[in-house]
Amino acid sequence: MTSAPQMHVASLHRYPVKSMLGETVATLDIGYGGAEGDRRLALIDEETGRVASAKQARLWRHLLKCSARIDDGRVRVSLPDGAEVSPGDAAFDDALSDLLSRPVRLARQRPPGASVERADPDLVLAHGLDAEVDAPLLELSEGTPGESFVDLAPLHVITEATLAHIGIDAERYRPNIVIATPAGHPPYTENEWTGRTCTVGTVRLRGMGPTPRCVIPTLEHGDSERAPSALRTPAAENLVDSFGLGRLPCAGAYLEVIAEGTVALEDSFVLD
């Protein structure tokens, strides 16, 4: 086992509602289906039955103007105008439908065959957010047990070295765990985690593959402006074969859970 004592948990994140901003936490309980409370809710497009995801920026980018947190066991969603609604409120679906100019309903568990539209990010950047571009369907959570709305895998982890190199805040890449790295640590080393196991806190994980980046990190997040470099930099530097989807710009890694447990800030991250 190769121990890197300087590598440890720098921050922990969960996103209670898919494609909304999330919250930073001090600990995460992690099961085989991912982090507790992470992407356990999503909005469903009433017209198509598909999951609303800002991967299709033309329809759903305003979700990134909302933030969701868990307060005393209840999810609370802050809207761009400062209003707050919670799942279960009579006005919840209507408030989000008004914001998105499209009828949506809340889903608490992933239906069979749940999918999102993944608009081609290069075409979105080239032709604009409202352009109708190729948007193949991505079936959600094919590698994840349970009923959450994660994209491909239970957990997403990224290093501070990769974030600093690209010059992007962690929230744009929506990781669960950010790993602090020693000075001089190279970016994109997450590519090398595929098939390797690691220990963080009391959790054991195994790398599934590099995380392919979509258009979401380039979009406005809350009050933050667009950031095209979040996609263009890894596209120029780190095209990787990823999950059978072809060579895609990648940053970070997806991991599966092989032993459940808890992760806390400052916990060591040790690769086998």
Side-chain angles (χ1 to χ4, degrees):
M1 178 179 292
T2 301
S3 177
Q6 304 98 324
M7 296 180 70
H8 63 268
V9 175
S11 60
L12 296 167
H13 309 263
R14 65 183 174 196
Y15 312 87
V17 182
K18 188 171 182 64
S19 274
M20 292 185 184
L21 303 184
E23 60 181 339
T24 301
V25 295
T27 62
L28 276 178
D29 292 326
I30 295 176
Y32 295 116
E36 183 179 358
D38 183 52
R39 297 171 174 94
R40 293 306 198 261
L41 304 175
L43 298 176
I44 303 295
D45 184 350
E46 289 277 32
E47 294 183 12
T48 66
R50 295 172 187 149
V51 176
S53 167
K55 287 178 172 56
Q56 177 55 290
R58 180 173 58 86
L59 298 179
W60 308 118
R61 64 183 182 270
H62 293 303
L63 284 172
L64 292 167
K65 296 287 189 177
C66 303
S67 63
R69 71 187 193 280
I70 299 175
D71 183 8
D72 197 24
R74 189 179 188 194
V75 174
R76 302 186 186 276
V77 172
S78 297
L79 302 175
D81 64 1
E84 188 170 278
V85 292
S86 291
D89 291 352
F92 186 86
D93 288 355
D94 288 344
L96 271 299
S97 296
D98 289 346
L99 172 69
L100 299 165
S101 300
R102 195 172 179 91
V104 295
R105 58 180 168 82
L106 181 74
R108 296 179 181 275
Q109 59 186 38
R110 183 178 80 236
S115 62
V116 300
E117 295 180 357
R118 188 185 192 277
D120 185 306
D122 291 327
L123 294 179
V124 173
L125 288 181
H127 298 291
L129 298 180
D130 292 314
E132 294 194 24
V133 302
D134 185 41
L137 294 181
L138 171 69
E139 185 169 343
L140 289 178
S141 309
E142 292 182 287
T144 304
E147 297 177 330
S148 75
F149 291 90
V150 295
D151 287 341
L152 289 169
L155 288 176
H156 171 33
V157 181
I158 196 167
T159 62
E160 284 189 335
T162 295
L163 292 171
H165 174 79
I166 299 172
I168 291 299
D169 293 335
E171 72 171 3
R172 288 190 176 272
Y173 286 144
R174 305 175 67 76
N176 298 113
I177 305 174
V178 177
I179 300 298
T181 46
H185 191 91
Y188 308 124
T189 55
E190 301 94 322
N191 294 352
E192 303 165 7
W193 297 355
T194 305
R196 297 182 67 181
T197 57
C198 63
T199 301
V200 55
T202 59
V203 178
R204 293 278 291 163
L205 305 170
R206 180 184 293 115
M208 298 175 67
T211 305
R213 306 312 336 180
C214 62
V215 75
I216 287 178
T218 74
L219 303 175
E220 293 180 358
H221 280 56
D223 295 328
S224 299
E225 297 182 355
R226 295 182 64 191
S229 63
L231 180 64
R232 288 175 173 161
T233 299
E237 300 176 342
N238 196 46
L239 288 176
V240 181
D241 290 323
S242 182
F243 291 90
L245 301 173
R247 287 176 60 79
L248 296 173
C250 291
Y254 280 139
L255 293 95
E256 63 180 327
V257 180
I258 56 178
E260 300 175 310
T262 302
V263 178
L265 294 176
E266 303 297 328
D267 279 346
S268 295
F269 177 80
V270 181
L271 281 166
D272 291 351

